[in-house]
Amino acid sequence: MVRQVKVSNFSEVQGIVSAAAKCYNEVGVHDVKGSIADAKSILGLMSLDFSQPVQIVCEDENDLNRVVKAIEQ
């Protein structure tokens, strides 16, 4: 499952990492340049381009919703 979101600031990146750390399944973040990072890795996420919306990818809908909800708060 894939959901596209706009990440505007560093606290939203921290929210992604925090929410993904609670997920049993793997959660990936894909940027427009084709780079992919593990959502549980703050260093991995810092290597992505957040100037455009990114895609959150996860096989489990509940885990995906948890991560997206962390960005929206």
Side-chain angles (χ1 to χ4, degrees):
M1 305 187 155
V2 178
R3 186 100 31 97
Q4 187 165 334
V5 295
K6 176 68 176 147
V7 179
S8 304
N9 56 52
F10 184 70
S11 65
E12 291 179 350
V13 174
Q14 290 175 312
I16 292 171
V17 174
S18 178
K22 298 173 186 170
C23 297
Y24 176 76
N25 296 291
E26 291 184 18
V27 182
V29 181
H30 301 226
D31 69 9
V32 295
K33 295 180 180 178
S35 298
I36 302 170
D38 181 356
K40 298 177 183 182
S41 167
I42 190 77
L43 289 176
L45 291 181
M46 295 308 297
S47 70
L48 298 179
D49 177 12
F50 289 103
S51 64
Q52 300 290 324
V54 295
Q55 293 182 331
I56 310 293
V57 181
C58 184
E59 291 185 13
D60 183 73
E61 186 174 5
N62 292 328
D63 286 346
L64 180 64
N65 289 335
R66 174 183 290 152
V67 174
V68 171
K69 197 176 291 186
I71 298 167
E72 295 172 348
Q73 291 180 346

